[in-house]
Amino acid sequence: MLRIVLSRTLPRISGISNCQYSAAAIPVPSAQPEVHYNKLFINNEWQDAVSKRSFPTINPATGEVICQVAEADKADVDKAVKAAREAFRFGSPWRRMDASDRGLLLSRLADAIERDTAYLAELETLDNGKPYAVSYSVDVPMVVKCLRYYAGWADKWEGKTIPIDGDFFCYTRHEPIGVCGQIIPWNFPLLMQAWKLGPALATGNTVVMKVAEQTPLTALYVASLIKEVGFPPGVVNILPGMGPSAGSAIASHMDVDKVAFTGSTEVGHLIQQASGSSNLKKVTLELGGKSPNIIMSDANMAEAVEQSHFALFFNQGQCCCAGSRTYVQDTIYDEFMERSVARAKSRVVGDPFNMKTEQGPQVDEEQFKKILGYISSGKREGAKLMCGGGVAADRGYFIQPTIFGDVQDGMTIAREEIFGPVMQILKFKTLEEVVERANDTKYGLAAAVFTKDIDKAHYISSGLRAGTVWINCYDVFGAQAPFGGYKYSGNGRELGEYGLDNYTEVKTVTIKVPQKNS
Amino acid sequence: MPVIGVENVQSAGAPSACTVGKQGNMSSEPGNCQNHQDHDPDHGDAGPAKQTMPMPVPNLEVQYTKIFIDNEWHESCSGRKMPVHNPATGDLLCEVEEADTEDVDKAVQSARAAFQLGSPWRCMDASDRGLLLNRLADLVERDRLRLATLEALDSGKIFLMAYFVDLMATVKTLRYYGGWADKIQGKTIPVDGEYFTYTRHEPIGVCGQIIPWNFPVMMFAWKVAPALCCGNTVIIKPAEQTPLTALHMACLIKEAGFPPGVVNVLPGYGPTAGSAIAHHMDIDKIAFTGSTAVGKLIQKAAGDSNLKRVTLELGGKNPNIVFADCDLEYAVEQAHSGLFFNQGQCCLAGSRVFVEDSIYEEFVCRSAEKARNKVLGNPLVPGVDQGPQIDQKQFDKILELIESGKKEGATLECGGGPWNRNSLFIQPTVFSNVTDDMRIAREEIFGPVQQIMRFRSVNEVIQRANATHYGLAAGVFTNDIDKALTVSSALQAGMVWVNCYNAMSTQCPFGGFKMSGNGRELGEYALQEYTEVKAVTIKISQKNS
């Protein structure tokens, strides 16, 4: 993710080389960072689980246990909700705080995270398996930018005064929703935490956050920074735990006012259902995708190949917005295929702490097996395996960069989200055809088109049913630009000004006046 | 502008240690009137303030006295310098390089180069512009004591006010606009036909900014922060009376990492440097804060030259309306600080206090009592409420208006003359039985002189309050929600305060109706004054919703 960040961190790279992360600016990491926090964070204090249970978190590069982490369940969720509710009480320090001071706290949190960039990047790589060079130069800087961005919004989220009919004075207040449950995934643990906390806290909510059981460590360290910079107790509570227990308790809780979830479409259904069967809490969802990436014959070939490679393989293919259906126009299909295979074969897979590594392990055994299952289905259903297709190391969860050619729209690998380093390349002839095929999915998260033709660019970007469309680029994220899905890919938007809507209740106040004047 | 900390200031000094009435004497009591350099640092701890009171930097030396162009210090092309005085003592603080037309030309060249398409400043991410403004805020916070001391020395304002009000507002303004930089969003617009239309919010270009002496560093922040967050480049002329904090800010701007030419600071006089900016053919926009008389000159200069965009923040003769159903003691207090804050040198000063008939006598009596209790003296010393006026010219003008008030038949309740011979101090003065036609009720005094008028009905007071060519601010004190809303709707003023006065904040727009100005500063509204909107329309093959 994030050309933008990369090009800023490193001296401007004109072409795109195999080694995107020059080691020059990146400090040598410790491959065994010390873990400081492994408990539940409630009311600014570290607590054991009520059940006293804990679970192991695994280093996916080796399959070894890093440490045990306290495991939150329903009773802990209740405690956290109580703390968050108390922090949200009318008249509490958090409610009475100047909006600009909420912004200042978020700014300070960004400063503290920036200060600890190297450590957080090490911990993220250890727990998640993503290459350290990426954690350091993409994930953590984007976290800092996201928090700074929302820090700025805190005192700029303005209501309106409204010229209603009659002798009335009418205005709106943008009030926080209240206690927000937030459930985040393991593919970008730190970044997803920032995407969730930034808008929720800027608008004055309190938070009960469940982090993924695969990757709880960085979120807990950030919890310590939240306390350090001075957020009042109970404003942010962080609970490591499992989806069916802790996650479900949040989604079904009668005193949680809103739930925001990022993860699979399957679980998204459960969250929405839980809201319906409990207190109709507001729901925002960022779910799966099967995002089309359309390459027109007039595109710059080298750039389209590199970007399409990046679009799919970035983060071990574990991106909801991965460009996992690469549609290539028939006249350039063969050349595109040849170059893409060469690029995938040159991808460096290995120890994520090695600076040359482009691809680390998948996050856990479950994902690892699931991806291998999809690869088998691709072979079975008649797609042409162009490279990869198997396990890449004898321990850890490494998978070879894999490309399938001659993929048909009906194949499982063209319809389901694989969430791994497996690229599908499909052939198309005409503009109208490719728009129709690209939209023929239940998902609608992201899409891209590569072309030099301004009319084609506009035609396709208007025609695609997706929350984000990139033209001649891919995975370009900015904290300023909204992100979210059409259709089964979600509900609501994160980032940008739009992200604030999902954390705000609008209150209309109308006052009778003796005589209205314009 | 009481923001955070003002209560601290008021409660921390020993309030009666050096009460100054008509015959007050600056050196009659210990504690208040020593030279600040010998001051016991623990003195400020008396009283209920929670934190240690900040103390002025002793023996502060002025570091920056030159013209700041292209991130470098320059001598004036003419070789001329101008003297800068401490108005509390009349002492010469230093001499500062005096900018004139030639220096303005140099600065414009530098600002234009910094604004070139493809320049580092133009290519910078908006979020990085925001980061630079945030860093500047951090540096101001670091140098807060030094800046507050410099401000108090140069302008005569109370040190603790400079520290808690001016510097706090400066930091907050810089941070606030730091946050806006990457939130100034254009739109995509559903135009008719087969087109795709979007707007870009682009910076205007080279902005000339001319600021006054009453809040030197805060006005500096009000001007540069929105200009820079939108991506403009700036040539700013601080007032000749108070150039020192602006020059210190220049140094911090360089330290924060703004590219050369983005901000240029030129101390100089209005008729020379100021006029050169207003007439310049290569300055795209001018923003001025100061008198209405000079505001007219600025507008004319823009018309005579290149039709540069103009925003103006000018004078005021602000009504403050007190109804009988208000909390009287609180209203007296607010009306008092609404006028006397900053030696009365505020464009916002509530200089026409309209008090409802039935509480009039009581209000006047309490107001005079409050004014009599004001402590005048060295602005660096804790416990002092009022410093000197800024210079001889202002001092003379205020005294002349006081005399006119006496002559035209207003009742002098207290004060009414200079305080402490051979200085620029003026006694806190209250006039009652003021009528609307008197000069003191029509002209901006810009000094510690409070006019109290009587009124009977809501309609009457609205009409009288609006009978002025100014329209900057207004206050209303009442516990009746209907009166509050009726009066606040009816008043022709850019800011109306209900049951408060001078309640300003960086999020809230500020500016005047009528001859009090043009455009708004602060808040989101200020961004409009520093952006050009470009509508881009692209022919497309087929439009769809």
Side-chain angles (χ1 to χ4, degrees):
Chain A
M1 206 171 329
L2 304 267
R3 263 329 138 195
I4 284 177
V5 170
L6 292 180
S7 61
R8 205 147 307 284
T9 312
L10 314 173
R12 299 223 176 246
I13 328 166
S14 45
I16 293 156
S17 68
N18 279 356
C19 181
Q20 293 172 6
Y21 320 108
S22 127
I26 303 178
V28 176
S30 155
Q32 287 171 318
E34 206 179 320
V35 175
H36 300 289
Y37 304 101
N38 63 350
K39 296 191 177 181
L40 316 180
F41 183 76
I42 298 175
N43 218 19
N44 278 6
E45 282 164 14
W46 297 104
Q47 310 197 356
D48 288 317
V50 172
S51 69
K52 302 289 176 207
R53 280 210 309 273
S54 66
F55 65 91
T57 184
I58 309 278
N59 175 353
T62 61
E64 288 163 5
V65 174
I66 301 168
C67 65
Q68 291 285 321
V69 175
E71 183 186 340
D73 203 336
K74 187 173 181 315
D76 308 288
V77 169
D78 286 342
K79 271 170 73 178
V81 170
K82 247 173 106 171
R85 178 60 61 198
E86 174 59 21
F88 192 73
R89 187 178 42 79
F90 201 62
S92 73
W94 180 240
R95 293 297 298 279
R96 299 200 56 199
M97 188 178 284
D98 282 343
S100 67
D101 285 336
R102 288 203 306 269
L104 206 53
L105 285 176
L106 275 170
S107 248
R108 293 216 181 109
L109 180 59
D111 292 344
I113 288 173
E114 194 170 48
R115 177 196 69 197
D116 296 342
T117 297
Y119 172 73
L120 277 165
E122 288 165 3
L123 203 58
E124 192 82 324
T125 291
L126 180 73
D127 208 8
N128 166 284
K130 64 174 66 196
Y132 174 78
V134 178
S135 309
Y136 184 89
S137 55
V138 180
D139 292 67
V140 180
M142 292 202 59
V143 166
V144 171
K145 286 198 171 208
C146 176
L147 294 174
R148 291 219 169 106
Y149 176 75
Y150 280 108
W153 270 122
D155 61 357
K156 300 172 184 68
W157 188 219
E158 299 163 338
K160 303 169 197 271
T161 64
I162 300 171
I164 58 170
D165 295 351
D167 286 329
F168 301 100
F169 167 58
C170 178
Y171 62 89
T172 55
R173 276 168 51 83
H174 288 188
E175 297 187 0
I177 296 177
V179 177
C180 298
Q182 304 184 319
I183 302 176
I184 60 172
W186 45 259
N187 56 343
F188 295 94
L190 276 168
L191 188 59
M192 291 300 108
Q193 186 184 35
W195 283 24
K196 290 280 181 290
L197 290 181
L201 299 178
T203 45
N205 295 278
T206 60
V207 166
V208 175
M209 173 179 280
K210 184 194 94 62
V211 297
E213 66 271 23
Q214 294 88 342
T215 55
L217 298 181
T218 48
L220 292 176
Y221 186 77
V222 168
S224 78
L225 301 181
I226 284 169
K227 182 174 180 176
E228 176 191 322
V229 302
F231 281 92
V235 171
V236 179
N237 305 277
I238 297 188
L239 308 175
M242 309 295 161
S245 51
S248 164
I250 290 172
S252 313
H253 206 286
M254 292 301 289
D255 202 26
V256 168
D257 302 302
K258 184 236 160 77
V259 63
F261 170 76
T262 297
S264 71
T265 295
E266 184 193 350
V267 175
H269 280 285
L270 298 177
I271 302 274
Q272 187 102 304
Q273 278 164 1
S275 160
S277 34
S278 58
N279 63 343
L280 284 175
K281 54 178 70 65
K282 282 81 188 107
V283 178
T284 50
L285 302 170
E286 303 288 352
L287 308 174
K290 192 71 188 176
S291 302
N293 179 16
I294 300 170
I295 320 296
M296 304 299 297
S297 57
D298 65 354
N300 176 321
M301 173 66 75
E303 213 162 292
V305 167
E306 180 58 34
Q307 290 288 312
S308 303
H309 175 82
F310 170 72
L312 186 284
F313 290 100
F314 178 67
N315 208 43
Q316 295 68 250
Q318 302 167 144
C319 299
C320 49
C321 53
S324 54
R325 290 184 293 148
T326 311
Y327 286 97
V328 182
Q329 200 156 22
D330 50 4
T331 53
I332 58 162
Y333 181 87
D334 292 337
E335 187 188 352
F336 185 92
M337 176 63 79
E338 192 182 319
R339 292 204 194 193
S340 293
V341 169
R343 177 65 185 91
K345 282 183 172 163
S346 73
R347 190 169 183 79
V348 183
V349 182
D351 174 12
F353 281 103
N354 186 320
M355 290 296 179
K356 292 207 166 65
T357 295
E358 291 176 283
Q359 182 176 318
Q362 308 309 123
V363 75
D364 66 7
E365 195 175 355
E366 188 189 332
Q367 289 293 320
F368 176 76
K369 286 183 172 159
K370 187 177 144 196
I371 296 162
L372 292 176
Y374 276 120
I375 293 176
S376 307
S377 91
K379 295 179 191 164
R380 207 170 44 237
E381 293 178 21
K384 191 166 164 195
L385 182 67
M386 305 302 293
C387 65
V391 173
D394 50 12
R395 68 167 195 167
Y397 310 121
F398 294 90
I399 291 181
Q400 294 172 341
T402 298
I403 296 183
F404 280 111
D406 296 340
V407 177
Q408 303 301 315
D409 293 353
M411 292 178 183
T412 309
I413 54 171
R415 302 207 70 78
E416 295 184 18
E417 189 173 34
I418 299 174
F419 232 62
V422 186
M423 184 181 198
Q424 287 64 239
I425 302 186
L426 306 89
K427 192 185 292 191
F428 76 92
K429 284 202 173 65
T430 71
L431 208 58
E432 291 74 13
E433 169 208 340
V434 77
V435 169
E436 200 183 311
R437 289 171 63 193
N439 285 337
D440 180 21
T441 165
K442 65 178 188 177
Y443 293 113
L445 193 56
V449 51
F450 285 80
T451 177
K452 291 271 173 231
D453 184 312
I454 191 170
D455 283 338
K456 288 177 191 160
H458 275 110
Y459 181 84
I460 295 181
S461 58
S462 298
L464 291 170
R465 308 273 298 156
T468 296
V469 179
W470 289 293
I471 301 178
N472 294 330
C473 54
Y474 206 98
D475 273 350
V476 176
F477 281 80
Q480 303 88 358
F483 179 82
Y486 282 39
K487 300 193 276 185
Y488 283 58
S489 286
N491 197 341
R493 291 293 179 274
E494 295 190 287
L495 300 186
E497 184 174 0
Y498 296 87
L500 300 170
D501 288 326
N502 292 316
Y503 288 94
T504 307
E505 290 280 18
V506 176
K507 178 184 281 177
T508 304
V509 181
T510 302
I511 308 178
K512 178 90 182 89
V513 295
Q515 186 197 69
K516 181 201 38 208
N517 278 271
S518 59
Chain B
M1 282 114 242
V3 203
I4 290 175
V6 173
E7 291 79 1
N8 276 354
V9 176
Q10 288 168 344
S11 58
S16 59
C18 185
T19 302
V20 175
K22 286 174 192 170
Q23 285 82 38
N25 182 326
M26 197 171 185
S27 55
S28 63
E29 294 283 336
N32 274 323
C33 309
Q34 321 163 3
N35 184 304
H36 70 279
Q37 289 160 0
D38 306 321
H39 202 73
D40 173 4
D42 292 325
H43 176 85
D45 285 346
K50 286 175 205 138
Q51 67 201 76
T52 309
M53 269 304 146
M55 295 298 295
V57 177
N59 302 313
L60 184 66
E61 262 180 53
V62 176
Q63 288 169 287
Y64 308 103
T65 59
K66 296 192 176 177
I67 296 171
F68 185 77
I69 297 176
D70 219 28
N71 277 6
E72 279 164 18
W73 298 105
H74 295 253
E75 280 159 20
S76 67
C77 294
S78 67
R80 283 201 311 273
K81 297 178 188 214
M82 55 188 196
V84 178
H85 293 101
N86 176 348
T89 60
D91 295 343
L92 182 71
L93 283 170
C94 63
E95 288 199 312
V96 167
E97 296 293 326
E98 180 196 334
D100 202 336
T101 309
E102 265 186 90
D103 308 286
V104 169
D105 286 341
K106 263 169 76 178
V108 171
Q109 265 180 38
S110 151
R112 179 60 62 196
F115 194 73
Q116 278 310 311
L117 212 60
S119 73
W121 181 240
R122 293 297 296 280
C123 293
M124 188 179 284
D125 282 344
S127 67
D128 285 337
R129 289 202 305 270
L131 206 54
L132 285 177
L133 279 169
N134 264 305
R135 283 208 194 122
L136 181 58
D138 293 342
L139 296 176
V140 172
E141 225 164 22
R142 181 195 71 192
D143 289 358
R144 189 170 174 182
L145 268 184
R146 176 170 284 274
L147 280 160
T149 306
L150 207 54
E151 194 81 321
L153 286 172
D154 201 5
S155 78
K157 68 170 59 202
I158 305 300
F159 165 76
L160 287 175
M161 288 291 173
Y163 185 87
F164 283 114
V165 180
D166 299 59
L167 268 301
M168 170 69 84
T170 300
V171 169
K172 287 201 171 201
T173 302
L174 294 170
R175 286 203 205 290
Y176 176 75
Y177 284 107
W180 268 122
D182 61 357
K183 299 173 184 71
I184 304 166
Q185 301 167 143
K187 302 170 196 272
T188 64
I189 299 171
V191 294
D192 293 350
E194 307 297 316
Y195 303 103
F196 168 61
T197 294
Y198 61 91
T199 56
R200 280 167 50 83
H201 290 189
E202 298 186 0
I204 295 177
V206 177
C207 298
Q209 304 184 317
I210 302 177
I211 57 172
W213 45 260
N214 57 344
F215 295 93
V217 72
M218 189 175 96
M219 289 296 114
F220 186 93
W222 281 27
K223 287 282 181 290
V224 302
L228 298 177
C229 104
C230 297
N232 297 279
T233 59
V234 164
I235 291 156
I236 188 166
K237 185 192 93 60
E240 66 271 19
Q241 294 90 339
T242 54
L244 301 183
T245 45
L247 293 175
H248 192 94
M249 291 297 285
C251 154
L252 300 184
I253 280 167
K254 182 174 181 176
E255 185 182 345
F258 284 90
V262 170
V263 179
N264 305 279
V265 183
L266 284 72
Y269 293 98
T272 51
S275 168
I277 291 173
H279 284 95
H280 206 287
M281 292 300 289
D282 201 28
I283 288 183
D284 302 302
K285 186 240 159 75
I286 184 164
F288 169 76
T289 298
S291 72
T292 295
V294 175
K296 290 182 169 185
L297 297 178
I298 302 275
Q299 186 99 306
K300 267 201 277 203
D304 286 345
S305 57
N306 62 344
L307 286 174
K308 52 178 71 65
R309 285 99 188 84
V310 179
T311 50
L312 302 170
E313 302 289 349
L314 308 175
K317 191 72 188 176
N318 307 295
N320 187 5
I321 300 169
V322 183
F323 284 99
D325 64 0
C326 71
D327 174 342
L328 182 63
E329 183 54 31
Y330 173 75
V332 167
E333 201 278 310
Q334 290 283 303
H336 174 83
S337 59
L339 184 286
F340 290 98
F341 179 65
N342 207 42
Q343 293 70 247
Q345 302 167 143
C346 299
C347 48
L348 292 174
S351 53
R352 291 185 294 148
V353 185
F354 290 96
V355 179
E356 195 166 5
D357 197 36
S358 61
I359 57 165
Y360 186 82
E361 273 76 23
E362 178 68 16
F363 189 95
V364 168
C365 172
R366 292 202 200 183
S367 293
E369 167 82 18
K370 261 208 156 355
R372 274 193 289 269
N373 285 336
K374 261 194 132 49
V375 180
L376 277 67
N378 183 342
L380 295 175
V381 173
V384 170
D385 303 320
Q386 185 179 315
Q389 307 309 123
I390 187 75
D391 63 11
Q392 190 70 42
K393 189 176 150 202
Q394 289 292 320
F395 177 83
D396 291 344
K397 180 186 141 196
I398 297 163
L399 289 180
E400 195 263 326
L401 278 161
I402 290 176
E403 287 313 308
S404 86
K406 295 176 188 168
K407 231 173 9 232
E408 292 182 324
T411 308
L412 182 68
E413 296 286 341
C414 67
W419 176 83
N420 201 21
R421 233 180 314 160
N422 298 325
S423 74
L424 298 175
F425 290 84
I426 291 180
Q427 294 171 2
T429 298
V430 176
F431 280 113
S432 65
N433 296 317
V434 178
T435 54
D436 294 354
D437 55 338
M438 293 177 183
R439 281 184 64 202
I440 54 172
R442 305 201 67 78
E443 296 178 26
E444 189 174 34
I445 301 175
F446 231 64
V449 187
Q450 185 177 34
Q451 287 64 241
I452 308 182
M453 291 93 136
R454 189 191 299 261
F455 78 91
R456 288 199 169 72
S457 78
V458 176
N459 287 340
E460 170 210 338
V461 78
I462 287 171
Q463 201 190 13
R464 290 171 61 195
N466 284 337
T468 164
H469 61 254
Y470 292 113
L472 193 56
V476 52
F477 287 81
T478 176
N479 284 331
D480 183 316
I481 191 170
D482 285 342
K483 277 184 201 159
L485 291 172
T486 301
V487 174
S488 57
S489 295
L491 290 171
Q492 296 163 348
M495 282 84 54
V496 178
W497 291 293
V498 179
N499 292 332
C500 53
Y501 203 92
N502 277 349
M504 296 170 53
S505 69
T506 180
Q507 300 88 1
C508 181
F510 175 95
F513 282 36
K514 300 194 278 185
M515 286 172 74
S516 287
N518 198 342
R520 291 294 178 273
E521 294 191 286
L522 300 187
E524 184 175 0
Y525 294 87
L527 301 174
Q528 293 168 18
E529 317 287 356
Y530 287 96
T531 41
E532 290 278 14
V533 175
K534 177 185 283 176
V536 180
T537 299
I538 306 177
K539 178 87 181 88
I540 54 175
S541 50
Q542 189 197 74
K543 180 190 52 196
N544 279 272
S545 62

